[in-house]
Amino acid sequence: MSPNQAKPENSPHILVLGMGGTIAGLAAKPENPLQYEAGQVTVSSLLAHIESAIPEGLKLVSHQIANINSRNLTEPLLSLLGKTVQEALANNWVKGLVITHGTDTIEETGLFLQLICGKSAQELGKRIILTGAMLPANAAGADGPSNLLDAIRWASTPLDNCPGGVYAVMDGRACLAMDLSKRHPTALNAPLQSSPSSSAGLINPSWLSGVKAVQAAWNEDLPLPKGDEWPWVEILTSHAGARPQTVAQWLGSGVKGLVLAGSGMGGFHDAWQTPLAEAASQGIALVRTSRTGAGSTYPNIPEKDLEGCLASGTLTAPRARIALQLALNAAKVDKSLTWQDFFARIAVLPEIR
Ligand code: ASP
């Protein structure tokens, strides 16, 4: 075991959690980096690889939560990650956290962590930094080592220039984790934030004021569902030639919510009108978003919303799904509020411009 990883659990340290992904991936032939297996290398090996660049005296503890291709991320795994992060936030020895994660679903995990522990991270003055990579660990010019180093440095720098909270860093740029999403299948800068961010080393003042606005609006974390408690929510995409059966097949299935990735402003095919009205009358929660990949989905535009159906605001379909699941769960825990009350708090979080 290296000096940087030598039993520092009972002294101040940064906790590095491994979830897998390309950052921990290996290509069979390093010269063909697009053909690889994600989640092959342990997080402790990733740290050993960058050991000489880790700031002097900084103690790291690593913990492997999973080593998966994140396209296979499951809800029980999210619960395990959430519980581990919450426990680490409550541990006085942990000064900050880094999470290595696959980029395919980093978007979901980013919003999930903001909603279950964004407030406590801020109040406890700890940064949680998500990172990943687009190239496997053994590819020439692999981006994982520099992303991991950026994340470790940022998790461990004093709070004066940026408060505790849930962030992400990739390709030398930093953002709130809830703003990160993958927008290209292969490019090194594929995991883009939806809005301008800061460079990893330099916090831009207008971005920082955006962070503070989000933190002021997010004033209470949501309960963390247990692994088997996540409500079943599906995403349906509206498209040319959409059929009523796409919606109708869910009636009576046990599904608790549907996220409608609509076209344009978040409208959907007229063929869905009747089955959606039936779904709403059966108590299936409905959220409308846009498949365009950017911008906001507003209420009652282009048509008046079905009774009870909410617009997603700035949330993309994968984020709206996580938001709806946590909102449905929160309404089960706190019966004085509806899922719409909880979802509305998430959908109005300010966009950082
Ligand atoms: N499929 C990989 C994953 O999400 C992609 C990546 O990590 O960049 O695990």
Side-chain angles (χ1 to χ4, degrees):
M1 192 177 276
S2 68
N4 274 321
Q5 292 160 259
K7 293 245 168 242
E9 287 87 345
N10 298 326
S11 57
H13 63 269
I14 299 295
L15 180 63
V16 185
L17 301 174
M19 291 289 284
T22 299
I23 191 167
L26 288 178
K29 296 186 187 139
E31 62 281 12
N32 184 2
L34 295 185
Q35 238 169 41
Y36 69 95
E37 287 278 338
Q40 301 297 300
V41 180
T42 62
V43 64
S44 60
S45 310
L46 299 179
L47 292 175
H49 185 68
I50 56 167
E51 191 186 335
S52 59
I54 289 172
E56 187 74 28
L58 180 62
K59 295 202 170 122
L60 303 176
V61 172
S62 65
H63 177 58
Q64 194 81 45
I65 296 205
N67 214 350
I68 59 160
N69 186 321
S70 79
R71 67 176 186 232
N72 298 322
L73 184 61
T74 62
E75 290 146 353
L77 209 41
L78 277 175
S79 290
L80 177 62
L81 175 66
K83 186 165 175 279
T84 310
V85 168
Q86 287 179 337
E87 285 169 2
L89 286 173
N91 178 343
N92 287 337
W93 293 128
V94 178
K95 298 300 167 193
L97 286 98
V98 168
I99 304 169
T100 56
H101 198 291
T103 58
D104 282 8
T105 55
I106 205 165
E107 174 172 9
E108 278 104 317
T109 299
L111 182 71
F112 164 70
L113 290 173
Q114 171 66 39
L115 301 184
I116 62 130
C117 63
K119 194 66 197 174
S120 51
Q122 183 203 345
E123 284 175 351
L124 292 161
K126 298 184 185 184
R127 290 194 203 106
I128 301 163
I129 318 280
L130 266 174
T131 195
M134 292 301 292
L135 288 172
N138 61 342
D143 52 335
S146 60
N147 288 342
L148 183 54
L149 260 178
D150 278 345
I152 290 169
R153 290 196 185 112
W154 197 19
S156 58
T157 48
L159 290 177
D160 4 315
N161 67 343
C162 176
V166 189
Y167 300 95
V169 65
M170 288 281 300
D171 195 35
R173 291 183 306 153
C175 63
L176 278 177
M178 57 175 264
D179 283 337
L180 187 76
S181 55
K182 191 169 188 173
R183 289 288 170 262
H184 191 286
T186 54
L188 286 188
N189 66 352
L192 290 175
Q193 59 290 343
S194 49
S195 44
S197 68
S198 272
S199 77
L202 191 73
I203 299 302
N204 149 351
S206 77
W207 175 76
L208 190 56
S209 68
V211 168
K212 289 184 176 157
V214 170
Q215 292 191 331
W218 189 248
N219 51 21
E220 198 182 343
D221 292 329
L222 296 181
L224 170 65
K226 292 205 176 74
D228 57 358
E229 279 177 0
W230 286 71
W232 183 11
V233 172
E234 294 287 337
I235 299 173
L236 309 182
T237 304
S238 183
H239 48 76
R243 298 174 183 212
Q245 291 91 327
T246 304
V247 177
Q249 66 167 333
W250 296 106
L251 301 174
S253 66
V255 84
K256 296 288 183 264
L258 296 173
V259 171
L260 312 173
S263 50
M265 294 188 283
F268 46 80
H269 201 292
D270 283 354
W272 284 8
Q273 280 293 349
T274 306
L276 281 176
E278 181 56 28
S281 74
Q282 288 188 7
I284 297 175
L286 299 177
V287 165
R288 253 180 350 99
T289 179
S290 168
R291 69 178 202 188
T292 56
S296 293
T297 303
Y298 300 108
N300 301 319
I301 291 177
E303 292 100 20
K304 194 156 170 26
D305 288 328
L306 279 166
E307 182 72 21
C309 174
L310 288 197
S312 69
T314 57
L315 299 170
T316 57
R319 290 188 190 121
R321 179 176 172 277
I322 293 285
L324 179 53
Q325 288 180 296
L326 293 182
L328 284 163
N329 179 62
K332 230 168 110 183
V333 175
D334 175 357
K335 296 201 170 16
S336 67
L337 295 172
T338 64
W339 73 262
Q340 285 96 338
D341 294 325
F342 289 105
F343 188 89
R345 284 182 50 211
I346 307 165
V348 298
L349 286 177
E351 205 183 4
I352 305 184
R353 289 181 193 280

